[in-house]
Amino acid sequence: GAVVSQHPSWVICKSGTSVKIECRSLDFQATTMFWYRQFPKQSLMLMATSNEGSKATYEQGVEKDKFLINHASLTLSTLTVTSAHPEDSSFYICSAQNPGQVYNEQFFGPGTRLTVL
Amino acid sequence: GNSVTQMEGPVTLSEEAFLTINCTYTATGYPSLFWYVQYPGEGLQLLLKATKADDKGSNKGFEATYRKETTSFHLEKGSVQVSDSAVYFCALIPLPGTGRRALTFGSGTRLQVQP
């Protein structure tokens, strides 16, 4: 149990286009999902916390108009990178929190590698 | 605020050597502690966890003990294999109501095991 999927697993796009990444919790309902960004050989940096039915909470320095997050249902959150540029190329990872667990464990998706040409 | 400090890598070991990756943390109260592993080109997988002081998490021969007195959660394995080569992340989540619910990660430690 507690499986989280991401789609697509990798995407290549041209500069100036928008890319949508989906994060789904497959066997539990996640009231909270998190989006992380990971640069090569570096740790994960939290971008935003996504709560079902409300606006996402963005970390300092993350542009909310560039990284649009929608958490429309208890099993799906989407991250849209708008007007992507080469510096947005990165590995984007989502996680979902199972509210049924006391210690707030998060389950991670496999990640999406975005390359902007 | 919350923070996690890991030893810098890469750590290079020969197969069957003993592994220790140090991790210390700063947090309010008693957070839950985790070790995640990331194999090349893949996402994070939970390796083990501990939710209260003196708990020992273990999985696949790895273990770590939650030490409140030293605020540490060092990862150990008695005999590493080539297949253990990966990046290991120490992380914490604070107790509900004591801080944000997102994981705080250490910088990661790359382990390279040579045959």
Side-chain angles (χ1 to χ4, degrees):
Chain A
V3 177
V4 176
S5 70
Q6 276 184 247
H7 178 80
S9 55
W10 59 269
V11 57
I12 301 173
C13 69
K14 293 182 179 179
S15 186
T17 60
S18 294
V19 174
K20 179 185 284 189
I21 303 170
E22 293 185 348
C23 177
R24 294 182 184 270
S25 56
L26 298 185
D27 50 5
F28 66 100
Q29 293 184 329
T31 52
T32 303
M33 291 183 173
F34 302 90
W35 287 95
Y36 295 84
R37 183 173 181 178
Q38 185 181 29
F39 290 102
K41 299 185 178 181
Q42 294 188 28
S43 188
L44 281 75
M45 301 300 296
L46 179 68
M47 299 175 66
T49 301
S50 170
N51 296 298
E52 186 268 337
S54 64
K55 292 182 178 180
T57 302
Y58 290 81
E59 295 298 299
Q60 190 173 6
V62 178
E63 298 176 60
K64 61 181 180 180
D65 294 330
K66 180 165 187 65
F67 298 100
L68 300 179
I69 292 173
N70 185 296
H71 193 157
S73 76
L74 287 172
T75 59
L76 173 65
S77 176
T78 60
L79 168 67
T80 301
V81 183
T82 62
S83 187
H85 289 91
E87 58 266 28
D88 298 324
S89 298
S90 192
F91 196 48
Y92 292 88
I93 304 173
C94 75
S95 69
Q97 199 162 57
N98 188 337
Q101 295 192 332
V102 175
Y103 49 82
N104 292 337
E105 181 176 351
Q106 293 181 25
F107 300 92
F108 284 82
T112 297
R113 186 163 301 284
L114 170 63
T115 301
V116 184
L117 302 176
Chain B
N2 302 321
S3 67
V4 177
T5 303
Q6 284 181 243
M7 60 188 291
E8 290 191 17
V11 173
T12 303
L13 297 173
S14 297
E15 206 164 21
E16 299 184 0
F18 184 86
L19 167 71
T20 299
I21 300 178
N22 290 336
C23 170
T24 57
Y25 67 88
T26 302
T28 302
Y30 303 109
S32 295
L33 302 174
F34 305 84
W35 276 100
Y36 284 87
V37 58
Q38 186 178 33
Y39 297 101
E42 299 183 14
L44 269 69
Q45 301 175 26
L46 178 64
L47 181 60
L48 54 85
K49 63 181 183 287
T51 58
K52 60 182 187 296
D54 299 325
D55 266 2
K56 177 184 284 187
S58 61
N59 185 26
K60 299 181 181 179
F62 292 89
E63 59 182 34
T65 301
Y66 191 144
R67 300 290 188 196
K68 178 175 69 69
E69 63 277 11
T70 54
T71 61
S72 64
F73 193 54
H74 305 322
L75 182 68
E76 296 182 335
K77 186 175 186 182
S79 176
V80 294
Q81 305 299 314
V82 172
S83 58
D84 294 327
S85 298
V87 180
Y88 293 81
F89 292 93
C90 185
L92 70 81
I93 289 180
L95 278 175
T98 63
R100 73 179 191 189
R101 295 163 294 161
L103 281 159
T104 297
F105 285 93
S107 56
T109 302
R110 183 175 301 276
L111 170 66
Q112 298 172 337
V113 180
Q114 298 174 338

